[in-house]
Short mmCIF file of all heavy atoms in Angstrom, two decimals:
data_model
loop_
_atom_site.label_atom_id
_atom_site.label_comp_id
_atom_site.label_asym_id
_atom_site.label_seq_id
_atom_site.Cartn_x
_atom_site.Cartn_y
_atom_site.Cartn_z
N SER B 126 -10.18 47.04 1.43
CA SER B 126 -11.60 46.94 1.11
C SER B 126 -12.26 45.85 1.94
O SER B 126 -13.37 46.00 2.41
CB SER B 126 -11.78 46.63 -0.37
OG SER B 126 -11.15 45.41 -0.67
N ARG B 127 -11.52 44.76 2.16
CA ARG B 127 -12.09 43.66 2.93
C ARG B 127 -12.28 44.09 4.38
O ARG B 127 -13.21 43.70 5.04
CB ARG B 127 -11.19 42.43 2.88
CG ARG B 127 -11.21 41.73 1.58
CD ARG B 127 -10.85 40.27 1.77
NE ARG B 127 -11.94 39.53 2.40
CZ ARG B 127 -13.01 39.10 1.77
NH1 ARG B 127 -13.16 39.33 0.49
NH2 ARG B 127 -13.94 38.44 2.41
N VAL B 128 -11.33 44.94 4.88
CA VAL B 128 -11.45 45.40 6.26
C VAL B 128 -12.70 46.25 6.40
O VAL B 128 -13.45 46.11 7.36
CB VAL B 128 -10.19 46.19 6.67
CG1 VAL B 128 -10.35 46.78 8.05
CG2 VAL B 128 -8.96 45.30 6.61
N ARG B 129 -12.91 47.12 5.38
CA ARG B 129 -14.10 47.96 5.45
C ARG B 129 -15.36 47.11 5.40
O ARG B 129 -16.29 47.31 6.15
CB ARG B 129 -14.09 48.97 4.30
CG ARG B 129 -13.20 50.17 4.58
CD ARG B 129 -13.61 51.33 3.69
NE ARG B 129 -13.33 51.05 2.30
CZ ARG B 129 -12.15 51.30 1.72
NH1 ARG B 129 -11.16 51.78 2.42
NH2 ARG B 129 -11.99 51.04 0.45
N VAL B 130 -15.34 46.12 4.50
CA VAL B 130 -16.50 45.23 4.40
C VAL B 130 -16.71 44.49 5.71
O VAL B 130 -17.82 44.39 6.22
CB VAL B 130 -16.30 44.22 3.23
CG1 VAL B 130 -17.36 43.15 3.25
CG2 VAL B 130 -16.33 44.94 1.90
N ALA B 131 -15.55 44.02 6.29
CA ALA B 131 -15.65 43.28 7.54
C ALA B 131 -16.28 44.15 8.63
O ALA B 131 -17.10 43.70 9.42
CB ALA B 131 -14.28 42.80 7.98
N GLY B 132 -15.88 45.47 8.66
CA GLY B 132 -16.44 46.39 9.64
C GLY B 132 -17.93 46.55 9.46
O GLY B 132 -18.69 46.52 10.43
N ALA B 133 -18.36 46.70 8.20
CA ALA B 133 -19.78 46.86 7.93
C ALA B 133 -20.56 45.61 8.33
O ALA B 133 -21.62 45.70 8.94
CB ALA B 133 -19.98 47.13 6.43
N ILE B 134 -19.97 44.45 8.03
CA ILE B 134 -20.64 43.19 8.40
C ILE B 134 -20.75 43.09 9.92
O ILE B 134 -21.79 42.69 10.45
CB ILE B 134 -19.88 41.98 7.80
CG1 ILE B 134 -20.02 41.99 6.27
CG2 ILE B 134 -20.40 40.66 8.35
CD1 ILE B 134 -19.13 41.01 5.55
N ALA B 135 -19.65 43.46 10.62
CA ALA B 135 -19.66 43.39 12.09
C ALA B 135 -20.77 44.26 12.66
O ALA B 135 -21.48 43.85 13.59
CB ALA B 135 -18.30 43.82 12.63
N CYS B 136 -20.95 45.48 12.10
CA CYS B 136 -22.00 46.38 12.58
C CYS B 136 -23.37 45.74 12.37
O CYS B 136 -24.23 45.76 13.27
CB CYS B 136 -21.95 47.71 11.82
SG CYS B 136 -20.61 48.73 12.38
N ALA B 137 -23.55 45.18 11.15
CA ALA B 137 -24.84 44.57 10.83
C ALA B 137 -25.13 43.40 11.76
O ALA B 137 -26.25 43.26 12.28
CB ALA B 137 -24.84 44.08 9.38
N ILE B 138 -24.08 42.60 12.05
CA ILE B 138 -24.27 41.44 12.93
C ILE B 138 -24.63 41.89 14.34
O ILE B 138 -25.55 41.37 14.96
CB ILE B 138 -22.99 40.56 12.94
CG1 ILE B 138 -22.83 39.85 11.59
CG2 ILE B 138 -23.04 39.52 14.05
CD1 ILE B 138 -21.50 39.17 11.40
N THR B 139 -23.92 42.92 14.84
CA THR B 139 -24.18 43.42 16.18
C THR B 139 -25.62 43.91 16.29
O THR B 139 -26.33 43.61 17.26
CB THR B 139 -23.21 44.59 16.52
OG1 THR B 139 -21.91 44.17 16.17
CG2 THR B 139 -23.27 44.97 17.97
N LEU B 140 -26.05 44.67 15.27
CA LEU B 140 -27.41 45.20 15.27
C LEU B 140 -28.43 44.06 15.25
O LEU B 140 -29.40 44.07 16.01
CB LEU B 140 -27.59 46.11 14.04
CG LEU B 140 -28.79 47.04 14.09
CD1 LEU B 140 -28.61 48.06 15.21
CD2 LEU B 140 -28.95 47.77 12.75
N SER B 141 -28.15 43.05 14.38
CA SER B 141 -29.06 41.91 14.29
C SER B 141 -29.17 41.20 15.62
O SER B 141 -30.24 40.80 16.06
CB SER B 141 -28.58 40.90 13.25
OG SER B 141 -28.29 41.54 12.09
N PHE B 142 -27.99 41.05 16.29
CA PHE B 142 -27.99 40.37 17.59
C PHE B 142 -28.84 41.14 18.60
O PHE B 142 -29.65 40.56 19.32
CB PHE B 142 -26.55 40.26 18.13
CG PHE B 142 -25.91 38.95 17.79
CD1 PHE B 142 -24.76 38.89 17.03
CD2 PHE B 142 -26.47 37.76 18.25
CE1 PHE B 142 -24.18 37.68 16.70
CE2 PHE B 142 -25.89 36.55 17.93
CZ PHE B 142 -24.75 36.51 17.16
N ALA B 143 -28.63 42.46 18.62
CA ALA B 143 -29.35 43.29 19.59
C ALA B 143 -30.85 43.14 19.40
O ALA B 143 -31.60 42.89 20.35
CB ALA B 143 -28.93 44.74 19.43
N VAL B 144 -31.28 43.26 18.13
CA VAL B 144 -32.71 43.15 17.83
C VAL B 144 -33.18 41.73 18.14
O VAL B 144 -34.21 41.52 18.78
CB VAL B 144 -32.98 43.51 16.35
CG1 VAL B 144 -34.42 43.26 15.99
CG2 VAL B 144 -32.62 44.96 16.10
N GLY B 145 -32.36 40.74 17.73
CA GLY B 145 -32.71 39.33 17.91
C GLY B 145 -32.88 38.97 19.37
O GLY B 145 -33.85 38.32 19.76
N VAL B 146 -31.95 39.43 20.22
CA VAL B 146 -32.02 39.11 21.65
C VAL B 146 -33.28 39.72 22.25
O VAL B 146 -34.01 39.06 23.00
CB VAL B 146 -30.75 39.62 22.38
CG1 VAL B 146 -30.93 39.60 23.89
CG2 VAL B 146 -29.54 38.79 21.98
#
Side-chain angles (χ1 to χ4, degrees):
Chain B
S126 60
R127 287 206 73 80
V128 175
R129 279 201 293 273
V130 170
I134 292 169
C136 284
I138 289 169
T139 312
L140 197 65
S141 310
F142 265 119
V144 174
V146 167

